[in-house]
Amino acid sequence: MIFDNYEAFAAKGFAPKVIIIGSGPAGVTIARKLAAANIPVAIFEAGAADYTDESQDFYKGTTVGDPYFELDVTRLRQFGGCSNHWAGWCRVMDAVDFEPKAWVPDTGWPIRRSDIEPFLEEVHDILDLVPFRDDELVSDDIRWVQLIKSPAVRFSEKYRDEIAASQSIALVLDTYVTELQGDGKKVTGAKIWSAGKEQGVATADYYLPCTGGLENSRLLLWSNERSNGGVVPHAEALGKYWMEHPQFEGGNAIMENENQFEMDEVSEAFFSPTGEAMEREQILNFGIRFIKMPYHGVKWLTAELACVAPETAEWISSGLGGNLRCAAQLVVGWEQSPRADNFVALSATERDDLGIPRIELHWKKRELEHRTLLNGLRLFGETLADKGYGRVRIADWVVNNEPYPTDQELAGHHHMGGTRMGDDLAKSVVDLHQKVHGMDNLYVGGSSVFTTSGQCNPTTTIVALSCRLGDHLARRITQSAMLDKG
Amino acid sequence: MKTNLTPEALRRRTVLQALLAIPAFALFRHETADVPVQRADGYVVVNGWVLKRSEVA
């Protein structure tokens, strides 16, 4: 069932067991899992079926610290959420991403990759993926990894008909949950604004904010403020440990054999470090995107190389047989350390049209991030040189530790953390089942629960975690119903 | 196209072609090369290039 607004939904008399807030990949995936177990679920989507400027305006905010995207541009407030503009790049976080790292504080998830692996077959169906191949070791330091460029499933397109026909899922558009209300043990209701007016309080047995890696923090911070701590009773980490994937052009490579690595259909290949290399260099995970350059790039690089290592330049040129075709641009995206001083806060001065504080995002890259970028490129360069594949030139601004360029991609539009998963009440918001600490019926879906960010695009891991959460919640609700009957 | 040049001459010509194909100032931009960053494991970083130490000796 799909309703244009809350009034139409209320008139139907549908009583949901679970209220999901947000209809992006996490919200839709969890709803489908619950519906498969015949559990009635309502999805409240603040936006409309399609993009509108009026809806996006609610996402405006400010950033303090490093340059970042406009907050109403880097996400979408409509049915399907950010799946409407994602590129479709897929990879599951590495096993090493879930492990604690002695050289970086506050790392280590309360779950391991093996906890989400049982759901990867479902994830492949949901995201229309071909099977992943295993990573291939290029050296002791560097893995050649696969990043699948999928057709970029738009959840609003792929699942619209299924949801419309479902008797267990009610998708309610134009329905803004302005706050959750709670008593410190349970959420008691969700305050609704729809069709241009307040619509009272919606209730269910369970509540799941799935509003994205920025908005989940905003909703819970505001709700907690309004209820005097009744929604997130252990709020020390709420909004904190926010992370992105910084992304910059870090250098170039020149190759002796242009067919050394199999490229994808747009002439790109991807490389990451081994766990041992990360530990030895005291760095985090990274992904080097190796992009073949146009013809003129290789000439320039060969000339440059000839200045510092003439014989090497000659060898490279010789190997190319005069075609001079294979050079690459190296774009690096990397894991950011989880830090309490990167955080989402409520603005003290800026509010949306309904009077709810806008986001003030505090975000900065630190020394560890630069070390990961520099040492990562150096490791990749040493691997190419050692194997005789080619040579890497690291960009001057990276070598000289100059300020980050402001005319590049900046980051991946990947919003992670803020309601991170963990066992420590002071450093996390949800437990290993994504249930808010101390609350009986409040769960959180999406990348805001990431404990650490890894280096890869987050959607695949978001969907895997959502399958796991949907499975867990369906089991809990079903068992609870059986006990009630017994 | 056939040529009477030796393989060694071909290699040198290839490099020469590459050098001639760029504006001259690019060659001299790093005229005063950075002091190589020495690493214990046999690699150096010169002007950003990650090289084997033997290549710049």
Side-chain angles (χ1 to χ4, degrees):
Chain A
M1 298 173 279
I2 298 179
F3 300 93
D4 286 338
N5 56 47
Y6 188 81
E7 288 177 340
F9 165 74
K12 176 76 174 175
F14 181 81
K17 191 83 171 169
V18 180
I19 288 175
I20 293 174
I21 307 160
S23 66
V28 167
T29 299
I30 295 167
R32 293 180 68 245
K33 292 287 287 187
L34 295 172
N38 294 315
I39 295 166
V41 51
I43 307 175
F44 293 158
E45 167 55 52
D50 298 306
Y51 177 96
T52 69
D53 288 335
E54 293 75 19
S55 181
Q56 282 302 120
D57 185 80
F58 284 88
Y59 273 176
K60 283 181 178 165
T62 54
T63 302
V64 178
D66 285 351
Y68 193 60
F69 310 110
E70 296 293 331
L71 298 187
D72 58 332
V73 171
T74 190
R75 52 203 178 130
L76 287 171
R77 191 174 182 266
Q78 65 183 92
F79 176 26
C82 289
S83 75
N84 289 293
H85 69 178
W86 77 306
W89 292 16
C90 290
R91 178 175 171 81
V92 186
M93 284 173 68
D94 297 328
V96 70
D97 293 328
F98 292 84
E99 302 286 341
K101 296 169 184 65
W103 61 98
V104 186
D106 301 324
T107 48
W109 293 49
I111 61 172
R112 293 292 176 267
R113 192 181 193 273
S114 56
D115 289 299
I116 61 171
E117 281 169 353
F119 302 97
L120 295 186
E121 200 171 319
E122 282 178 76
V123 172
H124 275 70
D125 289 339
I126 293 167
L127 295 177
D128 296 340
L129 301 181
V130 297
F132 285 102
R133 68 156 171 77
D134 291 336
D135 296 345
E136 290 185 28
L137 275 181
V138 183
S139 68
D140 290 342
D141 295 334
I142 296 293
R143 294 171 289 148
W144 177 20
V145 302
Q146 187 187 28
L147 195 147
I148 295 176
K149 292 172 180 170
S150 75
V153 166
R154 313 293 180 209
F155 278 65
S156 55
E157 293 173 9
K158 180 168 180 177
Y159 295 111
R160 185 189 307 269
D161 290 348
E162 178 186 316
I163 292 172
S166 173
Q167 294 305 301
S168 297
I169 301 176
L171 169 63
V172 193
L173 302 170
D174 183 24
T175 298
Y176 182 11
V177 173
T178 56
E179 77 183 64
L180 293 170
Q181 300 170 336
D183 60 13
K185 293 190 180 338
K186 294 179 74 171
V187 168
T188 54
K191 200 172 168 190
I192 304 293
W193 176 277
S194 180
K197 61 183 180 185
E198 285 191 4
Q199 300 283 354
V201 174
T203 59
D205 289 350
Y206 299 90
Y207 300 81
L208 270 97
C210 297
T211 61
L214 285 160
E215 204 67 8
N216 277 348
S217 289
R218 181 191 184 200
L219 172 62
L220 293 179
L221 283 164
W222 177 240
S223 300
N224 217 33
E225 186 175 312
R226 298 278 289 172
S227 65
N228 296 316
V231 173
V232 184
H234 305 283
E236 193 173 332
L238 180 57
K240 297 177 182 171
Y241 303 97
W242 195 83
M243 299 163 286
E244 247 282 10
H245 291 135
Q247 195 165 295
F248 290 89
E249 297 169 19
N252 298 99
I254 184 166
M255 300 290 286
E256 192 257 352
N257 176 3
E258 68 168 338
N259 298 315
Q260 190 65 57
F261 301 109
E262 184 186 339
M263 301 287 165
D264 64 18
E265 63 278 5
V266 290
S267 297
E268 295 182 357
F270 296 85
F271 301 90
S272 288
T274 60
E276 294 74 18
M278 290 164 60
E279 182 171 5
R280 190 183 67 244
E281 299 286 334
Q282 309 272 285
I283 59 176
L284 285 169
N285 207 347
F286 61 83
I288 292 179
R289 183 174 156 208
F290 181 102
I291 310 168
K292 270 196 184 177
M293 283 172 69
Y295 178 70
H296 61 81
V298 72
K299 289 193 295 187
W300 180 82
L301 281 168
T302 306
E304 269 236 342
L305 183 58
C307 292
V308 291
E311 290 182 9
T312 307
E314 185 175 337
W315 159 71
I316 293 264
S317 297
S318 167
L320 289 168
N323 289 327
L324 295 179
R325 279 185 300 178
C326 193
Q329 184 184 52
L330 305 177
V331 175
V332 189
W334 65 93
E335 178 175 15
Q336 188 166 29
S337 53
R339 296 176 57 109
D341 52 3
N342 281 335
F343 61 96
V344 175
L346 298 176
S347 170
T349 54
E350 302 294 320
R351 293 179 178 246
D352 69 19
D353 283 352
L354 297 187
I356 297 169
R358 295 189 184 276
I359 285 176
E360 186 175 273
L361 175 65
H362 293 250
W363 183 62
K364 244 180 128 48
K365 298 177 287 296
R366 319 282 170 160
E367 190 276 334
L368 175 58
E369 271 89 72
H370 179 263
R371 190 165 80 234
T372 297
L373 171 63
L374 176 61
N375 290 13
L377 284 163
R378 186 181 48 70
L379 286 177
F380 186 60
E382 290 176 2
T383 288
L384 292 193
D386 182 55
K387 298 291 178 185
Y389 295 159
R391 296 294 182 273
V392 162
R393 187 187 189 285
I394 306 173
D396 293 339
W397 68 269
V398 180
V399 174
N400 300 329
N401 200 6
E402 293 166 3
Y404 288 87
T406 55
D407 59 348
Q408 297 189 12
E409 292 184 56
L410 302 181
H413 296 277
H414 304 154
H415 319 133
M416 299 163 286
T419 69
R420 71 198 304 247
M421 188 190 293
D423 299 323
D424 185 342
L425 300 187
K427 294 184 173 181
S428 62
V429 174
V430 302
D431 67 13
L432 78 169
H433 294 301
Q434 299 179 226
K435 187 173 74 65
V436 171
H437 294 308
M439 296 294 281
D440 188 51
N441 65 346
L442 177 60
Y443 291 78
V444 180
S447 52
S448 66
V449 306
F450 282 19
T451 309
T452 57
S453 69
Q455 64 82 23
C456 65
N457 303 53
T459 302
T460 319
T461 306
I462 290 171
V463 174
L465 284 170
S466 300
C467 288
R468 177 175 176 269
L469 173 53
D471 210 51
H472 167 79
L473 192 55
R475 204 165 44 247
R476 181 181 170 190
I477 291 171
T478 304
Q479 287 171 353
S480 173
M482 288 171 66
L483 285 173
D484 288 345
K485 279 184 186 171
Chain B
M1 184 177 71
K2 285 192 173 182
T3 172
N4 293 324
L5 294 175
T6 64
E8 186 181 359
L10 267 177
R11 284 200 298 274
R12 293 193 184 285
R13 169 169 289 189
T14 305
V15 174
L16 187 62
Q17 284 173 339
L19 296 178
L20 290 174
I22 62 169
F25 65 82
L27 284 177
F28 299 105
R29 193 161 63 87
H30 298 295
E31 189 178 23
T32 53
D34 294 343
V35 176
V37 178
Q38 298 287 337
R39 289 182 50 80
D41 49 7
Y43 294 93
V44 290
V45 178
V46 187
N47 285 349
W49 285 96
V50 183
L51 301 168
K52 295 177 183 175
R53 184 170 290 122
S54 59
E55 292 174 309
V56 291

